[in-house]
Amino acid sequence: MNMINKVKEKFRPEQLMKGNFGIEREGLRCDRNGRLVTTPHPEVFGNKLKNPYITTDFSESQLEFITPVFNNIDDTYTFLENLYDVTMSELGSELIWPQSMPCNVPSDNKIPIAQFCNNEQGKEASNYRKHLLSKYGGKKQLLSGIHYNFSFDEKLLEFLYKQSKSPHTYQGFKSQTYLRVARNYLRYRWLIIYLLGSTSVVHTSYDMTGVPTLDKFGKDGFSCDGALSFRNSKAGYVNRVELYPNYSNIDNYINSLIKFVRDGLIESPKELYTQVRIKAYDNNNFLASLKQDGVNYLEYRSIDINPFDRAGLAKNDIYFMHLFNLFLLFKEETINMKWQQEALANQYHVAMNGLYDISLMRDGQQVKKSDWAMELLNEVMEFNNFLQLGQNDIVQGMMDKVKDASLTYAHKMLMQVEQLGYIEANIRLARKYKKQVYDTRYLLSGYEDLELSTQQIIKESIKRGVAFEVVDRKENFIKLKRDGNVQYVKQATKTGKDSYITTLIMENKTVTKKVLKENGIKVPKGNDFDTIDNAKEVISRLVDKPVVIKPKTTNYGLGISIFPAGATQDDLFAAVDVAFSHDKSILVEEFIAGREYRFLVIGDEVVAILRRIPANVIGDGMLSITKLVEEKNNDPLRGQGHKTPLEKIKLGKIEELCLKQSGYDFDYVPEVGELVYLRENSNISTGGDSVDFTDKAADYFKYIAVKAAKSVGASICGVDLMVRDITSDRSAYAIIELNFNPAIHMHCYPYKGIERNIAAKVLDLLGYPVIGC
Amino acid sequence: MNMINKVKEKFRPEQLMKGNFGIEREGLRCDRNGRLVTTPHPEVFGNKLKNPYITTDFSESQLEFITPVFNNIDDTYTFLENLYDVTMSELGSELIWPQSMPCNVPSDNKIPIAQFCNNEQGKEASNYRKHLLSKYGGKKQLLSGIHYNFSFDEKLLEFLYKQSKSPHTYQGFKSQTYLRVARNYLRYRWLIIYLLGSTSVVHTSYDMTGVPTLDKFGKDGFSCDGALSFRNSKAGYVNRVELYPNYSNIDNYINSLIKFVRDGLIESPKELYTQVRIKAYDNNNFLASLKQDGVNYLEYRSIDINPFDRAGLAKNDIYFMHLFNLFLLFKEETINMKWQQEALANQYHVAMNGLYDISLMRDGQQVKKSDWAMELLNEVMEFNNFLQLGQNDIVQGMMDKVKDASLTYAHKMLMQVEQLGYIEANIRLARKYKKQVYDTRYLLSGYEDLELSTQQIIKESIKRGVAFEVVDRKENFIKLKRDGNVQYVKQATKTGKDSYITTLIMENKTVTKKVLKENGIKVPKGNDFDTIDNAKEVISRLVDKPVVIKPKTTNYGLGISIFPAGATQDDLFAAVDVAFSHDKSILVEEFIAGREYRFLVIGDEVVAILRRIPANVIGDGMLSITKLVEEKNNDPLRGQGHKTPLEKIKLGKIEELCLKQSGYDFDYVPEVGELVYLRENSNISTGGDSVDFTDKAADYFKYIAVKAAKSVGASICGVDLMVRDITSDRSAYAIIELNFNPAIHMHCYPYKGIERNIAAKVLDLLGYPVIGC
């Protein structure tokens, strides 16, 4: 307790709740009927051995998600959730089976083993799987779980070392510490299995070798009374012989593993399926690295996938695990030569009968599960309170589960299976999560404050195994890295692939027009003005002529007025004032008749074409324009500040002027079906609608758009093209504007039409292709 | 007159005053004693045959300036002036002889013939000069003049063609028109020689072969009574035999030239030294091009260099020439078979005796020079008034010269030579112009409204023969072009050589620091804040600690407060408010002790290092700080808005806070010699002084600065480095900031130290090196 006092003095609670966390989660791909699918792992995730986040485990149909290591729980959980979401978005009609015990699986010879590239690495991976198949059978391999990897904050360990006045080196101290935590965890793992176990039923197709015959449960399940976690039972994925490594010190541990291999019990240390794995710094040279550098971190393998959380693991449970680990770090051990055998027996007993208040063995003595559990949780609660770690509610929740087994995941699953059947209960969950993902597919969990376009880039990075870091959240400034390639990206389309001057040319509409004209591309005729007086002098000659009045440099269509049929001098002057309120110079241009399309050019290619329809409402004969706009703005796809694929329509000065052109005001009640435009400009950012036209445009205009982008040297360019008939290459056109920071989300999620994966094109441009063989 | 009426109806005066103008001007390089120098043409202008603007004529010491073709007179004149200025700035102690007749020249064998590259083109150029030397002698070759090239606005010619209902093709009509103007010009050239002639004296060293023996004039000149333009006399540069090409139509013209060559009178058409040259579209294939495409423009060769104008030609005289040409375009011809001989005789007579009211021959009749001149000028005035061309004052000035010969350039030159001697009179003018250039060396005539840094880039472009165009004046946006290389440049250092993301990284101080830190470069510790409350909460713990408070993204040192010795909470809070008034996020950083230096990195090199000393005044024991600042601000090098190399000191809130640190206010009267700082930050833009340290810094810091620039991928980067002792590579340092748009003028024109030609480095980077052999 002396040590805990010192820790309390030295460390703030937030610091103690930090550490290093990395989660692995597996998941079977299945169809809507809960049958394992045999389709290949989606190509978009590339080479399975190169993608650090999304790969397969044993089977081609068994997804494996791996988060990077984070120093806090929130980021870890968020990443895990995102791995689920981005993968789901690539699965078409398939689902991810939401729990650890398999879905409806075929016989072993029909289970597809994961396919790899035809190279040395690939062959090795493939052969290893064949070996496992022959040794353990295919169905067992389909068990999915959570691997919880963690280490303590290094500053905490260093502090403990200093305080301990240990005769060991720091490395030795660290190994000893992790081994003690491992021993403690193994002793108390039954509690974790009880609290988090959720495999209380199996499908009738599963191979239950290892456990007594079960009872039929629900219409298509097997179970037995009190069962809580078949995955942690003998029917789970265990070694063929029970193995007890020597955890007393690092040398003994290493020697015991060497002996297992020498005795032919396992092929290599990675075949040791213990509930804790001791992890080295270089796990590819495990024993050598462990001997040289000691223990790096621990991996817990007891946790079942939580079917009630999309990510497969509840965030609160991660918090609890970390609190529990901190507790174990300080927990003193009792002396008991048979502790490993006792702990394993307790594990199996809880797994098979834990929903009852069974008796467990503690140092040779029987103890009621609930008494022991409450004793431990009370200690955890005390520990939490003393260090003010703030996890009281979570610990209380765990205590409630101890007192009332019906609160456990295992029991909840039982109830659902009883009612719906095993497949149906799980498929309902899988479909619910799929729908959640679809409904918010334009968002990335934990990054909703970023611009939509940036969220798309991050999503695509995750899919391709590109590491990302948000370097400035408010500015949507991210850093991408894969192998040696580091790229910074701001607002999704501001990249290192465009030169500075290219963007400055595009920013300046006068210069843009000059360059385009020099390159033989059609642009509207016009003039720029630096003073209101000069502008008004010229514009007084343009009464009743079709003109466009716009600020010279601003974006998003702000301050633009368009008069296709001409306007009075007063209205023109008002438009000049509006334009000047956005910039010190303005442009007055001829109005080009036709429709405006946004051509998005990336690299040498038009990757999407969108027609943007100016902000509009359709009348119902009852509501005023003000009311119709209010109603249209209620659509959840419409938001403000570019946080949704469409923007709310505003009722400002420009909208008022626009209506006035048609002789309307905001109080006008349009007739049934009457289409009323509120803007002349069609930017999404001013409330416009978006319709995908990528496959409808004549190739000629795609050629012109690419040529326009190239003429200013742009790699990423939003080309705004006005054309009478986009399907006819003989139609007259003019390029209105080039945009150096085109939004991509509007192409990804149009109001109508095909959703285009633009982020993929951006990542291709940045040198992060999908990695093949 | 019918035609003129139609022209008046159709064309606005501004349009008529347009046309196409290109001026050539030669000039001898001489020393302070008026002796021709024998130093090589400055290397900075590169290969003489490749530089379109600045080259040599016959002699290595004979500069030739060539403007591009402009459609207006102002731009043409400005360019001519700029050619003088940028050349002068590269001549060290040498001068440009300000008039047509040579300075003190050595004997023919000592006159250095222009040197060329050792290649075919170079040898041809060299051999041609040797041929001229043997045929005409060296001294005659040193005569310098103005070649005035012009054509009429194409729209005017097209209109005249349509109105004329000519049976010719348009091309034929055009050639006929130019030939008529040429004939008219030749008839009346005596008037131009009278009005613009300014070679009334020659040096005693000059070779006066061709004219009768002259009288000694002044202490070192020769002249004769009434002489006005020796350059246009027989002592000028004329063919050895008087040649009269046939100007009646284009075929006759061509045939007459072919005959001259066949007869061995000239080697090629370019050796024909007539007062007008007919010019083709392709003057390298002159006769063939003339035959195929007709006349393109005319070149007048009568105009002496005007010693009273730095550019060698007054802008008003160009306006007069254009008005005169327009007049000649409509002037009807009289029939006279001997008109060419008469015109030549009139030329020589005016050249040698024109200061008197001599008699000239008009169509076989004697007429008094003044009568004829006034008759013509009255016609010109009428023409001007009818078309409202606005040149009344200029024509009136010419009339005055006719009435009073003492107003002519020739007479003014005579008077000065009489008083000072030939060499001294001219050298005084040359030195006056040189001083003018030096005093405003940071400016480029006609472009003073652009930023200083942009003016430097344009100057350097002119030197290197790079064509430039200001594409957006207000934005300092220019286009450069040489051969196939087109580069746009904004504000001198925003170029296509930096990527967009590089500048965005530099713009964001938080991201910059992150990247620098990752690359092992030292940066100050600190935090950024998005809200005033958060900032103040943290900063309340930093009372009395050395800190810097600054906005996250703005430039120019605006809103930065530095407290090297700490400050009270109130002062810190005030600084937070100031910083937030410039940006939505601010940085609070540790103050790094030492001095701040700006390292300018271009490419892989530190091209300049500047110490900027915070705005300061030195006391005199009498004046208050307010008054001392006023006085310091009177320095012409200090201006506002970056239009001068140094900026005026302001007395604002930040200055007030800074003074408060020392217990002073604006009314405080510093003691004699007391140095009082008004700013903690040392930016030039907030009134700081600049001192060049390029040669004093330890190489280590240059290495660090380049590494910092490279770590964000920058090609052009202003690295602000804080270091205790810049001469010692062991001194502690930190990088405070990287700037993506560093001003270059402060290195070009420091308050103290060596002036660095940064524009040259920028042009090297942009792919416009000095062109060698």
Side-chain angles (χ1 to χ4, degrees), chain A residues 472 479 498 508 518 552, chain B residues 472 479 498 500 508 518:
Chain A
D472 191 324
K479 177 187 180 181
D498 275 307
N508 184 312
E518 278 174 17
K552 195 155 114 190
Chain B
D472 190 323
K479 177 186 180 181
D498 274 307
Y500 188 29
N508 184 311
E518 277 174 17

Side-chain angles (χ1 to χ4, degrees), chain A residues 64-261:
Chain A
E64 181 171 5
F65 301 148
I66 304 162
T67 75
V69 177
F70 292 97
N71 73 353
N72 69 85
I73 289 166
D74 287 2
D75 284 353
T76 316
Y77 178 77
T78 296
F79 204 98
L80 189 65
E81 212 175 14
N82 288 329
L83 285 172
Y84 183 92
D85 293 355
V86 303
T87 305
M88 180 53 88
S89 71
E90 295 292 342
L91 292 188
S93 64
E94 296 177 5
L95 297 165
I96 297 176
W97 185 251
Q99 69 145 302
S100 286
M101 294 313 282
C103 56
N104 188 350
V105 291
S107 57
D108 277 10
N109 61 342
K110 291 201 172 141
I111 294 171
I113 295 184
Q115 298 297 305
F116 294 93
C117 293
N118 189 19
N119 56 25
E120 206 179 315
Q121 261 196 315
K123 279 176 196 154
E124 197 190 309
S126 198
N127 287 336
Y128 182 66
R129 278 162 180 75
K130 284 175 192 156
H131 159 73
L132 294 177
L133 178 64
S134 70
K135 190 162 176 181
Y136 298 94
K139 291 186 177 180
K140 283 263 158 95
Q141 297 294 340
L142 297 184
L143 275 165
S144 298
I146 297 289
H147 295 170
Y148 178 91
N149 298 275
F150 81 98
S151 61
F152 296 107
D153 187 78
E154 205 66 25
K155 283 197 182 124
L156 174 60
L157 289 182
E158 283 165 6
F159 179 77
L160 293 178
Y161 175 59
K162 271 188 201 151
Q163 296 301 319
S164 73
K165 303 192 171 80
S166 159
H168 296 291
T169 59
Y170 174 59
Q171 179 188 309
F173 169 82
K174 220 169 120 176
S175 290
Q176 278 299 91
T177 301
Y178 277 116
L179 283 170
R180 196 179 69 246
V181 171
R183 292 191 302 267
N184 272 338
Y185 178 76
L186 288 169
R187 277 187 188 101
Y188 306 124
R189 70 186 189 248
W190 62 265
L191 177 60
I192 298 304
I193 293 168
Y194 174 78
L195 294 172
L196 307 186
S198 43
T199 47
S200 42
V201 200
V202 298
H203 189 245
T204 47
S205 66
Y206 187 65
D207 165 20
M208 286 304 286
T209 313
V211 290
T213 313
L214 302 176
D215 306 320
K216 195 97 193 295
F217 188 83
K219 68 177 173 197
D220 55 357
F222 283 124
S223 188
C224 68
D225 238 18
L228 193 106
S229 177
F230 284 116
R231 178 172 159 276
N232 282 296
S233 76
K234 286 187 182 167
Y237 196 57
V238 291
N239 288 107
R240 295 172 70 180
V241 177
E242 276 158 15
L243 297 172
Y244 301 107
N246 187 331
Y247 294 97
S248 59
N249 67 47
I250 194 68
D251 290 329
N252 289 343
Y253 181 77
I254 292 168
N255 290 335
S256 64
L257 263 57
I258 291 172
K259 190 166 185 301
F260 294 154
V261 174

Side-chain angles (χ1 to χ4, degrees), chain B residues 99-101 146 185 189-201 226-233 275 301-308 312-313 317 321 347 350-352 354-355 398 401 405-414:
Chain B
Q99 70 145 299
S100 285
M101 294 312 283
I146 296 290
Y185 178 76
R189 68 185 190 249
W190 63 265
L191 178 60
I192 298 303
I193 292 168
Y194 174 78
L195 293 172
L196 306 185
S198 42
T199 47
S200 44
V201 201
L228 192 106
S229 178
F230 284 117
R231 178 171 158 277
N232 283 298
S233 76
Q275 293 256 319
R301 301 159 64 88
S302 329
I303 305 171
D304 285 348
I305 289 170
N306 180 350
F308 306 108
L313 179 62
D317 291 340
M321 288 304 299
Q347 171 191 328
V350 165
M352 291 299 286
L355 286 179
M398 297 303 182
K401 284 189 182 184
S406 76
L407 296 175
T408 59
Y409 300 139
H411 188 266
K412 275 167 85 177
M413 179 47 72
L414 271 181

Side-chain angles (χ1 to χ4, degrees), chain A residues 471-472 474-475 477 479 488 490 494-496 498-501 503-504 508 514-515 518 552 740, chain B residues 471-472 475 477 479 488 490 494-496 498-501 503-504 508 514-515 518 530 552 740:
Chain A
V471 289
D472 191 324
K474 279 217 165 174
E475 294 216 335
F477 216 129
K479 177 187 180 181
Y488 288 85
K490 186 175 169 181
K494 297 176 174 174
T495 76
D498 275 307
S499 87
Y500 189 28
I501 203 70
T503 64
L504 294 172
N508 184 312
K514 249 182 205 176
V515 176
E518 278 174 17
K552 195 155 114 190
F740 60 92
Chain B
V471 288
D472 190 323
E475 295 216 337
F477 215 129
K479 177 186 180 181
Y488 289 85
K490 185 173 172 182
K494 296 177 175 173
T495 76
D498 274 307
S499 88
Y500 188 29
I501 203 70
T503 64
L504 294 172
N508 184 311
K514 248 182 207 176
V515 175
E518 277 174 17
D530 296 332
K552 195 154 114 190
F740 61 92

Side-chain angles (χ1 to χ4, degrees), chain B residues 513-531:
Chain B
K513 277 173 71 175
K514 248 182 207 176
V515 175
L516 290 178
K517 224 170 141 186
E518 277 174 17
N519 281 271
I521 293 166
K522 284 176 203 149
V523 292
K525 285 175 197 133
N527 286 302
D528 50 338
F529 300 96
D530 296 332
T531 68

